[in-house]
Amino acid sequence: MTVAETSEGDQELLPKSRTAGVEYLREVGAVLRIPHLPEGIEEVPTDHDTMIINMGPQHPSTHGVLRVMMELQGETVLRCKPVMGYLHTGMEKTGEELTYLQGPTNTTRMDYISPLFNELVFSLATEKLLDIELPPRATWIRMLMCELNRMSSQVVWLATNGMDLGAVSMMIYGFREREMILAFFEKVTGLRMNHNYIRPGGVAVDLPEGWRDDVLKILEVFPQRLDEYDTLLTGQPIWQERTQGVGVITTEECLALGVTGPILRSTGMPWDLRRDQPYLYYDQVDFDVIVGSYGDTFDRYAIRLNEIRESIKIIHQILDKMPQGDYRVQDKKVTPPPRARIDESMEALIHHFKIFTEGFRVPEGEVYVAVESPRGELGCYMVSDGSSKPYRMHIRGPSFVNLQALPHMIRGALIADAVAVISTIDPIMGEVDR
Amino acid sequence: MGLEDLNHNFLTGRIEDLVKWARRNSVWPATFGLACCAIEMMSTGAAHFDLARFGMEVFRASPRQADLMIVAGRVSQKMAPVLRQVYDQMMEPKWVISMGVCASSGGMFNNYAIVQGVDQIVPVDVYSPGCPPGPETLMHSILTLHELIRTGEITKRRGAAGAGAGVHVTERRVAVATPH
Amino acid sequence: MDEPDGQPAEDEAELVHGAPSALSRGQLVVFPERADYLDLVGLLYDDGYRVCVDLTGADYQPYMERELPAGVTRERFEVVVNLLATDTRRRIRVRVQVPEADPALPSIFQLHPGTEAMERETYDMFGVVFTGHPDLSRILMPDDWEGHPLRKDFGFGRIPVQFKGAPPAR
């Protein structure tokens, strides 16, 4: 039987005898600035005493198609290397072929657990290039949807992390809660995932009638469910033993590696772009940045759990502040005319047609815009050459960078804990490989 | 002892029908989640949609224990050989559901990185449309597959039966038959 | 819109450690020479830009007339580095010109170990070689892939939609 070659050559973890000095240091997780192998560090066993095993890309605990190669001595992980690209979709190339209005359809499929954030960062970058100001209601709607999305994303993380660690009931519960939010999303955007709801110039449609009751219902149910999780997991000795002291990382190492999000906050550094470099109207709402103190898996669990509570707090404030008004900017250049006008005005029809076929032109320039996604800093670097399509669209996926902390966090752990560490990074492979 | 003593709890049927009935009611899918669709596949297995109603809640991590591969998501050029290897490891009889437009035809990603349809690599029995298909759509395609299993041949290899996109299957079958 | 990056208004073409700079939509951008790139990132590191948030590339082959400050030679490739100072909450962007004839740039792995994967990605996508990188291999594409997909002269790879096995027209 012919089986196609699945080896990836130099991208894989090579035997020690074939690994160069600095590369080796990286794979054992020594991220500090050591240019050469220091004397005396070579106490490690030779290639004959160890074994390189391959985990993934088709593995139930790698959250998609991540492939982790680990060198083991017995049960201990000596070094590891994430091999990725198995979900490389060419989205940055596709982004150059789509107009700015079509762009969010592309970016939304990157981080498929929190698609609205991808749309948001793309739209913010476009709007910064266009230099347009949004009506307040559009911004508040964006915040509402994003915070709900943050809740569903963290709940999915709790579910999958629970499943990886053997808490299968957590998985059932997590997806149950997610369905509530997805039902609301479906009502608003028409889709459960990959919404293409946040677009340059505002949002696609206004919130439907009765949205406030739906949101209030979610906010009413969630706190009780979170308390259930507390009972189920937080105080549970098995859960604590499996997570406490596993995958420890320090603030310095996080910053050196560019790691952001809950992993950075778990080390005690209060860095949250919503508070530190506010975008949308996050400077007008009151919320806490949750930090940990040990930088281990348990801290990251607690941070994600409590961030749901903070999101609930934020959404309550959004409900109070939601103004009336337009849900998209009334700028003829960017916004198609209202549906009713198309029936009576030929010009409106032509205008509508042109916006959706040719798209609108964006002035030349380049910007980098970042938002705080549930996984960390989600950035968009966009270059415009004055046409109606981005000249270069690059998304800085937080998972891609956070995944580079894996060799460090996994070093010296037992192989049973490797799953817990991979899971705690919360990599979304669509965003890693793009 | 003759049949006259067994007057209750007794069914008769052709062995073929019984085998197909049994196969239909306990299809074990392999976890082959790739992208967005994988999340919807997990939702389908979770409490709200409850795939256990169809005897399918056991997602097997090992392809050796599975007889259905749900290709959930876009297949990249780098992933294609891996996917084929997983498929080759599965035992006959085996079925493939191509979940979502990316797996079925490349979807919106018609570019250098994505295989334009997983049927170029493995024979596909059911194509499930949507981006991503909702759990209802996936369940519908699973029920469609159940019907295919119930009415299909039990012994004939599906290559000969022309399952999937015919052109590709023929090409691939020839390639597999070639000695290494 | 509010200025999210908290940059103070600075005059254009001010020198940052001897390199020309500009404001792009209110964001500070520095354009060092290729030879000064490593030193500049080091000096910025000492200034507090301790986090390398992002490193990527761009291919300007069909768009060579782009706007750059005086004194910066336009080259085909650019490597774009986004740095962040967490204590002052400021961002700075470094854009280095990399010529097509010799697409090489020193790696900043020693200063920012997190750029290891990003430099590999930029190498994979644009073919920019980072000297001093510990493990410069492809990261997203298969190892035997030919070409660098995000270069503008690399084809989009679109294939026409084919309907195979479709029932014949009636």
Side-chain angles (χ1 to χ4, degrees), chain B residues 2-180:
Chain B
L3 286 178
E4 62 274 7
D5 294 335
L6 300 167
N7 44 18
H8 52 82
N9 291 345
F10 195 77
L11 280 170
T12 58
R14 291 193 303 160
I15 182 82
E16 194 173 308
D17 288 342
L18 288 172
V19 167
K20 286 194 286 199
W21 169 81
R23 277 184 187 167
R24 189 191 92 158
N25 285 305
S26 70
V27 181
W28 284 12
T31 54
F32 206 84
L34 295 169
C36 331
C37 296
I39 308 297
E40 288 298 66
M41 187 169 74
M42 285 160 80
S43 305
T44 317
H48 195 85
F49 292 97
D50 196 12
L51 213 47
R53 287 178 291 166
F54 310 111
M56 289 183 62
E57 78 279 19
V58 216
F59 278 83
R60 303 313 297 187
S62 164
R64 293 279 188 209
Q65 301 166 348
D67 42 18
L68 166 64
M69 182 158 81
I70 302 180
V71 184
R74 41 195 188 251
V75 182
S76 69
Q77 305 282 2
K78 199 171 178 176
M79 193 66 192
V82 182
L83 187 135
R84 179 71 207 189
Q85 201 174 37
V86 170
Y87 179 79
D88 285 340
Q89 287 176 61
M90 285 164 61
M91 300 286 123
E92 289 279 359
K94 54 190 173 184
W95 296 272
V96 177
I97 290 180
S98 160
M99 182 182 179
V101 286
C102 296
S104 303
S105 71
M108 67 176 287
F109 299 111
N110 191 346
N111 62 18
Y112 64 92
I114 293 296
V115 176
Q116 297 299 304
V118 72
D119 50 13
Q120 304 190 14
I121 309 164
V122 293
V124 175
D125 294 281
V126 179
Y127 298 88
S128 176
C131 187
E136 300 91 341
T137 317
L138 179 62
M139 277 191 286
H140 179 71
S141 47
I142 283 171
L143 291 178
T144 310
L145 179 74
H146 283 180
E147 197 54 26
L148 284 179
I149 297 173
R150 194 181 67 78
T151 55
E153 302 276 326
I154 61 162
T155 47
K156 206 183 271 180
R157 293 287 165 120
R158 288 169 317 118
V167 180
H168 302 299
V169 175
T170 334
E171 285 168 5
R172 180 56 70 168
R173 286 286 154 180
V174 171
V176 171
T178 317
H180 191 57

Side-chain angles (χ1 to χ4, degrees), chain A residues 7-12 20 22-23 26-27 31-35 81-86 88 90 92-97 124 127-134 142 254-260 264 269 271 273 275-281 283 362-370 377 381 383-386 390-392 394-396 400-401 404 432-434, chain C residues 1-6 23-27 29 31 45 50-67 76 78 80 82 84-91 93 95 109-121 124-126 132-144 148-158:
Chain A
S7 153
E8 292 303 338
D10 280 349
Q11 296 179 29
E12 298 189 344
V22 184
E23 185 186 347
R26 209 196 120 64
E27 285 162 3
V31 299
L32 300 176
R33 292 156 198 83
I34 311 169
K81 184 175 183 182
V83 184
M84 45 218 189
Y86 291 97
H88 178 59
E92 293 183 2
K93 191 92 174 171
T94 304
E96 294 169 5
E97 292 280 311
L124 285 179
E127 283 152 15
K128 204 165 171 64
L129 280 170
L130 281 166
D131 199 20
I132 52 175
E133 184 138 359
L134 251 56
R142 284 180 174 187
C254 277
L255 293 182
L257 288 170
V259 171
T260 48
L264 177 61
M269 171 137 180
W271 181 260
L273 291 178
R275 191 200 65 173
D276 290 303
Q277 295 190 335
Y279 53 98
L280 301 180
Y281 290 146
D283 46 352
V362 170
E364 289 185 53
E366 42 107 46
V367 288
Y368 176 82
V369 173
E377 172 170 332
Y381 176 69
V383 184
S384 167
D385 61 349
Y391 182 81
R392 169 98 173 94
H394 168 74
I395 296 281
R396 186 260 190 211
F400 178 68
V401 187
Q404 308 311 319
V432 174
D433 298 337
R434 296 187 297 280
Chain C
M1 181 185 284
D2 285 349
E3 185 53 64
D5 299 346
L23 283 181
S24 169
R25 303 290 195 280
Q27 300 174 340
V29 191
F31 299 85
Y45 184 86
R50 293 287 167 101
V51 186
C52 179
V53 172
D54 189 26
L55 186 148
T56 184
D59 178 7
Y60 283 101
Q61 192 196 28
Y63 181 41
M64 291 297 280
E65 68 282 6
R66 65 193 183 278
E67 201 179 315
R76 176 174 172 184
E78 253 180 37
V80 186
N82 277 290
L84 168 70
T86 47
D87 38 6
T88 53
R89 298 175 184 176
R90 295 175 81 185
R91 284 175 191 274
R93 186 155 64 243
R95 285 169 68 184
F109 170 75
Q110 301 292 344
L111 279 163
H112 300 283
T115 57
E116 194 259 358
M118 306 178 204
E119 283 177 350
R120 273 176 75 191
E121 190 196 346
D124 193 356
M125 292 289 129
F126 292 97
H133 189 282
D135 172 30
L136 197 65
S137 52
R138 285 188 180 272
I139 187 165
L140 295 182
M141 299 312 295
D143 214 42
D144 51 358
H148 301 282
L150 280 183
R151 285 189 175 188
K152 288 283 177 180
D153 53 5
F154 189 95
F156 190 70
R158 178 174 286 139

Side-chain angles (χ1 to χ4, degrees), chain A residues 60-63 153-175 229 232-234 236 238-240 242-243 297-298 300-302 304-305 416 419-426, chain B residues 42:
Chain A
S61 299
T62 50
H63 288 223
S153 167
Q154 307 291 30
V155 160
V156 169
W157 179 81
L158 288 170
T160 51
N161 192 39
M163 187 169 60
D164 289 345
L165 295 182
V168 181
S169 27
M170 187 59 232
M171 184 229 159
I172 303 282
Y173 289 158
F175 274 96
Y229 302 165
L232 183 69
L233 298 177
T234 314
Q236 191 209 93
I238 300 174
W239 183 259
Q240 290 178 353
R242 286 219 60 185
T243 53
T297 304
F298 186 80
R300 290 187 274 277
Y301 154 73
R304 288 183 171 117
L305 186 69
V419 170
V421 176
I422 296 169
S423 171
T424 192
I425 292 177
D426 195 11
Chain B
M42 285 160 80

